[in-house]
């Protein structure tokens, strides 16, 4: 099994303290960058595509903060290699392909299920090239920022403690869900699904210590769900979409205003796929023993 061992830290700082310092640093740096840069992008809110560009500028502030703080903490505080984040690409292209495939299959199964249950209809198909491709880059930044922070740094550090790996996975998933607390139309079921999404995104990292599966899954989960299929993504709409969906009524099956991630269909899929990932790696470990 492919698994990259982290080098031992030469720092006396406890991993839990590193996490606290890292999160505070990311928040302060993001707020500072946003205060400097976002006012310059306010004029781009004249139309929907401009709004999407504005979101990209805001997300770039977070991505820069996440990467910069990770570099500072690992290299200068903990004296550890940046490769400990799990971004090494060598022989990992298959992980990225698996993430793409898994996300697309889950979303297609979910949409088909809603069709069968008469919970959603497609009323229009129209291609908007600018929104379609710009949104891909936006969701790529989202995936890199959130996966480096939550899985690469937070979960990675929790796994360096004596904490049970599944408890570490749960705690990192709760942090991931907490980052969406102020999303539009947030409710109990969407929060449950966000925690479950965190479990799925971190499941492979428990065994591989590599981010390419969760980054790829996260990117295509958001992009296919929103700009392609026409759902709101975690309660937000980022530009025009390929499919325009109509809900006969907003309910727990179609997710209503929060989108696919607010649906019970999503809940079932997340549980099944996460269990499958963990079962696969546990069986693989038993074979290698």
């Amino acid at each position: 099994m492919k698994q990259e061992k982290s080098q031992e830290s030469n720092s006396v700082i406890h991993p839990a303290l590193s996490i606290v310092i890292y999160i505070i640093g990311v928040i302060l740096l993001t707020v500072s960058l946003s205060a400097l840069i976002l006012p310059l992008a306010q004029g781009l809110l004249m139309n929907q595509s401009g709004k999407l560009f504005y979101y990209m500028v805001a997300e770039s502030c977070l991505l820069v903060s996440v990467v910069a703080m990770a570099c500072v903490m690992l290299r200068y505080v903990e004296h550890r290699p940046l490769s400990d984040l799990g971004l090494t690409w060598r022989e990992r292209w298959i992980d990225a392909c698996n993430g793409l495939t898994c996300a697309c299959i889950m979303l297609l199964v979910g949409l088909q299920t809603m069709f069968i249950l008469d919970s959603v209809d497609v009323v229009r198909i129209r291609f908007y090239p600018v929104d379609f491709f710009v949104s891909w880059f936006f969701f790529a930044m989202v995936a890199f920022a959130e996966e480096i922070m939550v899985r690469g740094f937070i979960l990675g550090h929790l796994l360096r403690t004596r904490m049970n790996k599944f408890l570490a996975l749960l705690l990192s998933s709760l942090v991931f869900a907490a980052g969406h607390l102020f999303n539009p139309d947030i409710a109990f079921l969407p929060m449950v699904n966000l925690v479950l999404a965190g479990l799925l995104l971190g499941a492979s990292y428990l065994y591989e210590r590599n981010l390419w599966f969760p980054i790829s899954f996260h990117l295509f989960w958001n992009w296919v769900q929103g700009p392609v299929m026409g759902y709101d993504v975690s309660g937000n709409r980022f530009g025009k979409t390929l499919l325009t969906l109509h809900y006969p009524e907003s309910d727990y099956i179609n997710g209503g205003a929060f989108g696919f991630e607010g649906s019970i269909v999503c809940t079932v899929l997340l549980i099944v796929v996460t269990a499958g990932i963990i079962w696969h790696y546990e069986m693989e470990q038993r074979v290698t023993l």
Side-chain angles (χ1 to χ4, degrees):
M1 181 183 68
K2 296 176 294 180
Q3 185 166 343
E4 296 168 9
K5 301 290 186 181
S6 298
Q7 294 183 18
E8 291 296 324
S9 172
N10 295 319
S11 173
V12 296
I13 190 169
H14 191 276
L17 179 58
S18 287
I19 292 173
V20 173
I21 296 172
Y22 177 72
I23 292 175
I24 293 173
V26 167
I27 292 172
L28 293 177
L29 188 54
T30 302
V31 170
S32 301
L33 288 175
S34 299
L36 290 172
I37 297 173
L38 288 183
L40 302 177
Q42 289 286 356
L44 296 172
L45 284 170
M46 299 297 293
N47 54 58
Q48 191 70 6
S49 295
K51 189 175 182 180
L52 179 58
F53 180 79
Y54 179 83
Y55 285 136
M56 289 187 66
V57 175
E59 192 63 32
S60 68
C61 294
L62 175 61
L63 179 57
V64 168
S65 302
V66 164
V67 174
M69 280 303 303
C71 290
V72 169
M73 292 300 298
L74 287 175
R75 178 166 291 178
Y76 300 108
V77 178
E78 301 178 10
H79 308 293
R80 293 159 55 85
L82 296 179
S83 59
D84 275 11
L85 285 173
L87 285 170
T88 51
W89 175 251
R90 186 177 180 181
E91 298 181 357
R92 293 292 178 171
W93 63 271
I94 191 64
D95 295 333
C97 291
N98 288 340
L100 184 161
T101 302
C102 186
C104 290
I105 290 176
M106 288 177 66
L107 289 168
L108 287 171
V109 170
L111 183 61
Q112 184 62 40
T113 301
M114 292 182 188
F115 283 155
I116 294 172
L117 297 175
D118 294 322
S119 188
V120 68
D121 300 309
V122 176
V123 297
R124 187 177 66 181
I125 301 176
R126 187 171 179 181
F127 182 54
Y128 299 93
V130 173
D131 292 67
F132 193 78
F133 293 108
V134 171
S135 63
W136 188 93
F137 288 100
F138 168 71
F139 285 120
M141 288 194 294
V142 171
F144 273 94
E146 294 185 4
E147 294 311 310
I148 291 172
M149 180 175 183
V150 181
R151 256 61 65 174
F153 197 93
I154 295 176
L155 178 56
H157 278 66
L158 289 175
L159 291 173
R160 288 173 49 216
T161 68
R162 296 182 179 181
M163 183 182 298
N164 176 274
K165 65 183 177 183
F166 295 114
L167 178 57
L169 176 60
L170 176 60
L171 289 177
S172 67
S173 300
L174 291 172
V175 172
F176 176 71
H180 299 77
L181 274 173
F182 299 104
N183 283 33
D185 300 295
I186 193 69
F188 177 74
L189 184 57
M191 281 301 298
V192 170
N193 285 344
L194 286 166
V195 174
L196 291 173
L199 295 176
L200 188 154
L201 288 164
S204 67
Y205 190 86
L206 295 183
Y207 306 90
E208 298 282 357
R209 302 296 196 273
N210 192 272
L211 289 176
W212 287 108
F213 175 88
I215 286 174
S216 177
F217 182 96
H218 200 153
L219 162 57
F220 287 100
W221 174 265
N222 284 342
W223 187 65
V224 174
Q225 179 188 169
V228 178
M229 288 186 169
Y231 292 104
D232 284 5
V233 180
S234 299
N236 293 292
R237 181 164 292 270
F238 301 96
K240 301 180 180 70
T241 61
L242 180 65
L243 305 183
T244 299
L245 301 179
H246 167 69
Y247 301 150
E249 61 177 330
S250 295
D251 54 32
Y252 68 92
I253 297 177
N254 56 42
F258 197 78
F260 183 75
E261 293 170 353
S263 73
I264 194 69
V265 176
C266 180
T267 307
V268 174
L269 288 170
L270 289 170
I271 292 172
V272 170
V273 174
T274 303
I277 292 172
I278 292 174
W279 177 85
H280 165 75
Y281 282 110
E282 288 292 324
M283 290 301 101
E284 192 175 67
Q285 278 192 343
R286 291 184 184 183
V287 170
T288 57
L289 291 178

